[in-house]
Amino acid sequence: MNSHDLVVIGAGPGGYTAAIRAAQLGLNVAVIEKESALGGTCLRVGCIPSKALLESSEKYWEARESLQAHGIKITKADLDLPTMLKRKEDIVGALTRGVAGLFKKNKITRYEGHGRIAGLGKVVAEGKEGPVEIEAKNILIATGSKSADLPGVAPDGDRIGTSTEALSYDKVPKHLVVIGAGYIGLELGSVWLRLGSKVTVLEYLDRILPGMDLEIAKEAHKVFRKQGFEIRLKCRVTGARSDKKGATVECEGTEPIVCDRVLLSVGRIPNTEGLGLESVGVQTDAKGRIAVDGHFQTNAPGVYAIGDVIPGPMLAHKAEEEGVACVEHLVTGHGHVDMNCIPGVVYTHPEIATVGKSEEELQEGGIPYRKGLFPFMANARARCLANTEGKVKVLAHSLTDRVLGVHIIGPRAGDLIAEAAAAMAFGASSEDIARTCHAHPTLSEALKEAALAVDNRPINI
Ligand code: NAI
């Protein structure tokens, strides 16, 4: 029988990163993945293809709307959607093949098929050629998540779909209705808005981007409205149906909305079905997430879980950190993830990025804090880029000055947040950031200035 020190189920960012780290540490590692391409949702139908389309659609929008301000006249910018979609597929292909190359380099055995636990130390890969039984000293579940359903809204794989379909519409929809103003709805809504769709976002809550710092989310709402998004808050969608001509979305208290495409983006749920969890008694919580201890071990001996199948934000980089910490702990006895230092980024324009506690969380926790704000309008580099929307917000403990949270809406916020995450990981104070020399002129100076503003001494405002 095939036998391995570690069998990882799922080759997304969490699973494949864990497998590589475990191989580096000397384990004999195998990965079971049901798709022919490695990389999981993130590489195949998530983070990567959406970012490819966000880049392309932003260039199209710039050519039509904003290059004039730089003194560049473009008489006519035409959209070549098939080329745009092919470019996205090429990027996905190159990256998924890259993961296969890394598996080879690290001598990781790959089984193609659906992975199922068949008892303690036993896993089965159900592939096209039938089941393969595998002996595993340790099993790591890294099966990720799938789109959550909404009662009354049945995705038909065409007019009513999830993010997977919205990455490949063959025509620009005339009217796209997005259900849910979260990460996916706003990113993919942005893509099609820039390419010419009317986009209506229906959100159940009284705000967009739940969980995000409210001041930043409110600013984002204003910016998106200015871009042309129609955002309806407090709007509970109760159903959607499609026919040959289009789709109709029903929401409580208003007239049905007729459109030609519907994107369902109301969250994601863990992939735990058919995993054989019951064969070893692995416990799940009320939301179907696998319960683990601080070292990612389930209640079943030798069975571990990381990423979207366990509690915490459903983010690729969170899964990667957990995968590394899990296998390092397994081999060396050490391995830890600081859940307070996991950044989140929404890749809209401008980008929105966050790490640590929001102002609301600090208030709810009764934690005394000081706040520093700095607008990109006052940042020289942002002016040169002609991207002056947004601001940086630094929240620091009012007694110790330790940075508790940083929230940014603005140009390249997703890159800028890395400095804040590193500072927080080292337990920095706002004074530490404020006294660090930042190159001029860069966007990063906005973070330094916001840190100075915590102590009421910003220079450029
Ligand atoms: P989400 O949880 O971010 O947002 C879902 C939204 O749908 C919420 O605002 C919720 O209030 C709303 N909603 C729920 N039921 C509704 C109803 N009946 N009618 C109207 N609105 C309703 O979920 P999303 O955008 O689907 O993303 C799923 C996961 O994928 C998230 O956990 C996110 O972290 C991750 N993701 C991360 C990205 C990134 O890092 N840039 C990009 C895309 C997804």
Side-chain angles (χ1 to χ4, degrees):
M1 196 192 295
N2 304 291
S3 172
H4 302 277
D5 297 325
L6 174 70
V7 173
V8 181
I9 309 179
Y16 89 68
T17 305
I20 292 173
R21 184 70 190 117
Q24 286 174 346
L25 289 165
L27 298 191
N28 167 357
V29 184
V31 174
I32 309 176
E33 168 58 57
K34 63 182 169 40
E35 302 289 337
S36 55
L38 300 171
T41 300
C42 172
L43 258 73
R44 292 184 310 102
V45 286
C47 324
I48 300 303
S50 62
K51 262 79 269 175
L53 289 183
L54 278 157
E55 269 325 311
S56 299
S57 61
E58 193 173 333
K59 290 205 183 309
Y60 177 66
W61 182 83
E62 275 177 4
R64 288 170 67 99
E65 306 284 338
S66 70
L67 288 182
Q68 296 89 318
H70 293 264
I72 301 166
K73 279 192 185 162
I74 293 180
T75 29
K76 199 162 173 285
D78 286 329
L79 175 65
D80 176 0
L81 186 58
T83 301
M84 198 179 278
L85 295 177
K86 180 172 179 305
R87 175 185 170 276
K88 171 205 69 172
E89 288 307 322
D90 290 347
I91 294 168
V92 169
L95 289 174
T96 54
R97 282 193 301 277
V99 178
L102 290 172
F103 274 22
K104 246 194 188 150
K105 180 183 155 199
N106 288 284
K107 302 191 173 47
I108 295 166
T109 307
R110 191 197 161 178
Y111 297 94
E112 200 172 321
H114 178 96
R116 176 171 54 80
I117 300 173
L120 284 180
K122 282 200 190 77
V123 189
V124 174
E126 312 259 12
K128 277 187 202 129
E129 267 115 60
V132 177
E133 286 184 19
I134 307 161
E135 241 171 45
K137 281 200 194 116
N138 298 284
I139 300 166
L140 175 56
I141 304 168
T143 46
S145 61
K146 60 181 177 191
S147 247
D149 293 334
L150 189 61
V153 181
D156 58 10
D158 181 24
R159 293 205 176 271
I160 302 177
T162 64
S163 49
T164 303
E165 287 78 26
L167 287 166
S168 298
Y169 295 152
D170 57 354
K171 275 203 305 250
V172 177
K174 281 200 188 67
H175 185 184
L176 169 66
V177 168
V178 174
I179 310 177
Y183 281 64
I184 294 181
L186 293 170
E187 288 186 3
L188 289 174
S190 290
V191 166
W192 296 104
L193 181 89
R194 294 169 190 167
L195 298 181
S197 298
K198 171 183 161 73
V199 178
T200 304
V201 182
L202 308 176
E203 168 57 50
Y204 173 62
L205 298 174
D206 60 355
R207 56 164 295 176
I208 65 168
L209 293 168
M212 185 84 68
D213 185 272
L214 186 59
E215 184 177 5
I216 298 293
K218 277 188 177 162
E219 175 121 6
H221 189 151
K222 259 194 255 161
V223 174
F224 294 146
R225 255 208 332 240
K226 221 167 83 191
Q227 288 173 2
F229 271 101
E230 188 197 349
I231 301 176
R232 297 196 199 172
L233 300 178
K234 296 192 210 160
C235 176
R236 195 169 80 86
V237 172
T238 51
R241 55 178 193 277
S242 62
D243 55 35
K244 275 190 197 134
K245 278 196 250 149
T248 308
V249 182
E250 320 258 358
C251 2
E252 246 171 34
T254 55
E255 291 292 299
I257 304 169
V258 177
C259 59
D260 49 350
R261 294 258 186 207
V262 179
L263 162 58
L264 179 63
S265 49
V266 293
R268 297 181 64 83
I269 55 166
N271 271 330
T272 50
E273 256 172 52
L275 272 182
L277 297 184
E278 61 297 336
S279 72
V280 286
V282 168
Q283 277 165 9
T284 53
D285 66 14
K287 292 184 175 166
R289 301 173 302 190
I290 295 174
V292 290
D293 67 11
H295 301 300
F296 310 101
Q297 169 135 32
T298 69
N299 59 306
V303 181
Y304 299 81
I306 55 153
D308 288 5
V309 282
I310 68 168
M314 289 181 162
L315 298 169
H317 44 277
K318 176 249 189 194
E320 289 173 16
E321 296 303 320
E322 289 178 341
V324 168
C326 174
V327 298
E328 285 188 347
H329 187 263
L330 193 64
V331 178
T332 69
H334 307 283
H336 173 69
V337 182
D338 185 345
M339 294 305 283
N340 198 41
C341 294
I342 294 181
V345 180
V346 190
Y347 296 85
T348 46
H349 183 91
E351 291 180 350
I352 306 160
T354 174
V355 63
K357 298 268 184 283
S358 66
E359 213 175 330
E360 294 70 47
E361 283 173 324
L362 295 179
Q363 285 162 0
E364 276 159 31
I367 300 166
Y369 65 92
R370 292 194 298 167
K371 153 168 143 178
L373 286 171
F374 191 79
F376 281 101
M377 189 66 97
N379 174 272
R381 189 66 189 279
R383 288 253 176 187
C384 297
L385 290 170
N387 278 328
T388 51
E389 276 172 327
K391 59 180 150 199
V392 179
K393 171 168 169 175
V394 173
L395 300 168
H397 198 287
S398 50
L399 301 178
T400 64
D401 193 35
R402 189 177 178 138
V403 177
L404 302 173
V406 175
H407 310 282
I408 310 176
I409 174 167
R412 297 284 164 198
D415 295 310
L416 296 177
I417 204 71
E419 181 189 346
M424 285 178 61
F426 282 91
S429 61
S430 77
E431 185 76 13
D432 289 329
I433 299 178
R435 289 200 179 272
T436 301
C437 181
H438 289 68
H440 178 71
T442 60
L443 296 168
S444 70
E445 288 171 289
L447 177 60
K448 177 189 168 95
E449 290 269 17
L452 281 165
V454 170
D455 193 39
N456 291 322
R457 52 188 170 95
I459 301 292
N460 286 290
I461 194 156

